Amino acid sequence: MITWQLKPFIELTTIQLYQLLKLRVDVFVVEQQCPYPELDDKDHKKGVYHLLGYDGDQLVACTRLLPKGVSYPSVSMGRVAISADHRGGGIGHQLLAEALRNCQSLWPNESIEIGAQEYLTSFYTQHGFVKTSETYLEDDIPHIDMKLAK
């Protein structure tokens, strides 16, 4: 059973911040072998929230929710990560459903734009997102822009 917490940056404990950054680096930098600027100055911007999914005291899933104008003209989500040992059991779908619910609560009736890794296109499509761009490379990984219109 995953326990979800939604927090702005200022409310993250030092342990939570460490766990969050470690999970993201483990997935995006180490596992995907992609050195990229993980600390992009968006985590602490006004209105940004971090959705944390815990299995006991272990952080196993996370994403950040961003207000309009931080990454896209619309509300957006990014840095969606699931620990390798918790994949395949539906936690990704739970994370996305929880993220969408929280976006709706924070920013009612707003569209959501994302830059998804291309191999996850069908995953996001299952949640109502549609492609809005051709494939492009970001940090040498194929991505595609997608949008959930409201």
Side-chain angles (χ1 to χ4, degrees):
M1 175 89 177
I2 303 300
T3 304
W4 300 102
Q5 296 181 27
L6 182 69
K7 294 188 170 191
F9 184 83
I10 194 74
E11 291 181 16
L12 294 172
T13 68
T14 53
I15 295 296
Q16 288 173 318
L17 178 59
Y18 178 86
Q19 291 171 327
L20 174 69
L21 294 175
K22 183 177 185 328
L23 177 57
R24 290 180 357 189
V25 168
D26 285 351
V27 171
F28 301 123
V29 177
V30 178
E31 183 181 326
Q32 295 182 354
Q33 299 179 356
C34 180
Y36 76 105
E38 168 56 30
L39 302 177
D40 62 1
D41 285 321
K42 293 181 183 179
D43 287 315
H44 57 83
K45 291 211 181 281
K46 181 179 169 61
V48 172
Y49 286 83
H50 299 272
L51 180 59
L52 310 172
Y54 285 92
D55 182 1
D57 61 357
Q58 181 186 5
L59 181 66
V60 298
C62 66
T63 189
R64 66 181 177 191
L65 312 179
L66 306 105
K68 293 196 274 188
V70 175
S71 289
Y72 289 91
S74 300
V75 167
S76 64
M77 290 185 275
R79 301 293 203 264
V80 179
I82 309 288
S83 65
D85 59 343
H86 280 76
R87 291 187 201 137
I91 292 176
H93 290 287
Q94 291 176 44
L95 173 62
L96 192 53
E98 190 71 15
L100 294 175
R101 187 183 68 72
N102 280 283
C103 283
Q104 176 62 26
S105 177
L106 292 166
W107 306 290
N109 302 311
E110 293 287 341
S111 296
I112 301 169
E113 291 181 85
I114 60 172
Q117 291 187 8
E118 186 179 44
Y119 82 95
L120 292 168
T121 302
S122 65
F123 170 78
Y124 288 107
T125 300
Q126 293 175 51
H127 292 271
F129 284 86
V130 296
K131 295 177 4 177
T132 59
S133 77
E134 296 299 318
T135 301
Y136 60 91
L137 285 180
E138 182 175 313
D139 302 315
D140 289 328
I141 295 175
H143 279 70
I144 190 153
D145 289 334
M146 301 186 82
K147 187 171 189 173
L148 177 63
K150 290 292 175 177

